[in-house]
Amino acid sequence: MHAVVVRVTINDPEAALTALREQTVPAVSQAPGFVTGHWTRKGTTGLSMVIFESEEAANGASERIRANVPDGVRLEDVEVREVAAHA
């Protein structure tokens, strides 16, 4: 399994949360190879980790994330990492 880790800066909290719930989460959860995802926030930063069945699926998702940044956030970083363990 591989994870897509995304860091964003939240410029408009209300717009960002609406986009997250109505666009991002539904789209990502339907992506090929999706396993699970968690989106977190603290102050004006957001951090998410979305797990995919394969590195190929995670790389595809990371490209779609870069191309579809919602209103209200600024993309800071997207990276694909191998999942070393999970519980």
Side-chain angles (χ1 to χ4, degrees):
M1 289 188 296
H2 283 73
V4 179
V5 180
V6 180
R7 286 187 314 108
V8 299
T9 296
I10 301 167
N11 299 316
D12 182 340
E14 188 173 314
L17 190 56
T18 297
L20 176 67
R21 291 180 176 163
E22 295 178 3
Q23 298 168 11
T24 303
V25 172
V28 171
S29 65
Q30 294 177 17
F34 172 82
V35 175
T36 190
H38 300 275
W39 290 262
T40 67
R41 67 179 179 178
K42 181 178 182 180
T44 61
T45 63
L47 178 68
S48 66
M49 182 175 289
V50 183
I51 309 300
F52 291 89
E53 293 175 347
S54 68
E55 184 175 14
E56 180 182 2
N59 283 327
S62 71
E63 291 178 19
R64 287 187 297 279
I65 290 165
R66 286 184 178 94
N68 295 294
V69 178
D71 292 337
V73 301
R74 181 178 70 234
L75 184 64
E76 300 295 344
D77 188 40
V78 177
E79 61 180 317
V80 173
R81 294 177 172 225
E82 182 179 4
V83 175
H86 68 91

